[in-house]
Amino acid sequence: MKPTRLFALIILCAFSLAACDKGLRGLSNQELVAKNDACVMGNPTAPGKVTACENIKKECERRRKDGNYAC
């Protein structure tokens, strides 16, 4: 793979992950809890799933700081 294509792919992935984090704020507590439970029970190993679960965990922590103890 050419270095410019690799760089473009890395940048695209970074923006995609940043966008996913913003989308979690729109989830209801029930949806977030369900996703969090799936992460805990599934114990993912695929890099994409691990990143998604980390973002879900961060959103739970963000809500907890605001006094919302949903998960």
Side-chain angles (χ1 to χ4, degrees), residues 33-56:
V33 168
K35 288 182 180 286
N36 188 50
D37 289 345
C39 286
V40 171
M41 298 299 283
N43 195 18
T45 57
K49 295 260 186 191
V50 170
T51 302
C53 287
E54 287 174 359
N55 289 338
I56 291 167

Side-chain angles (χ1 to χ4, degrees), residues 20 22-33 35-36 56 59 62-63 68:
C20 288
K22 301 285 185 207
L24 294 175
R25 291 179 185 230
L27 290 178
S28 69
N29 285 341
Q30 292 81 11
E31 292 171 317
L32 187 64
V33 168
K35 288 182 180 286
N36 188 50
I56 291 167
E59 179 61 18
R62 185 193 70 76
R63 290 185 187 195
N68 182 348

Side-chain angles (χ1 to χ4, degrees), residues 11-25 51 55:
I11 295 298
L12 179 65
C13 288
F15 282 125
S16 296
L17 292 176
C20 288
D21 190 35
K22 301 285 185 207
L24 294 175
R25 291 179 185 230
T51 302
N55 289 338

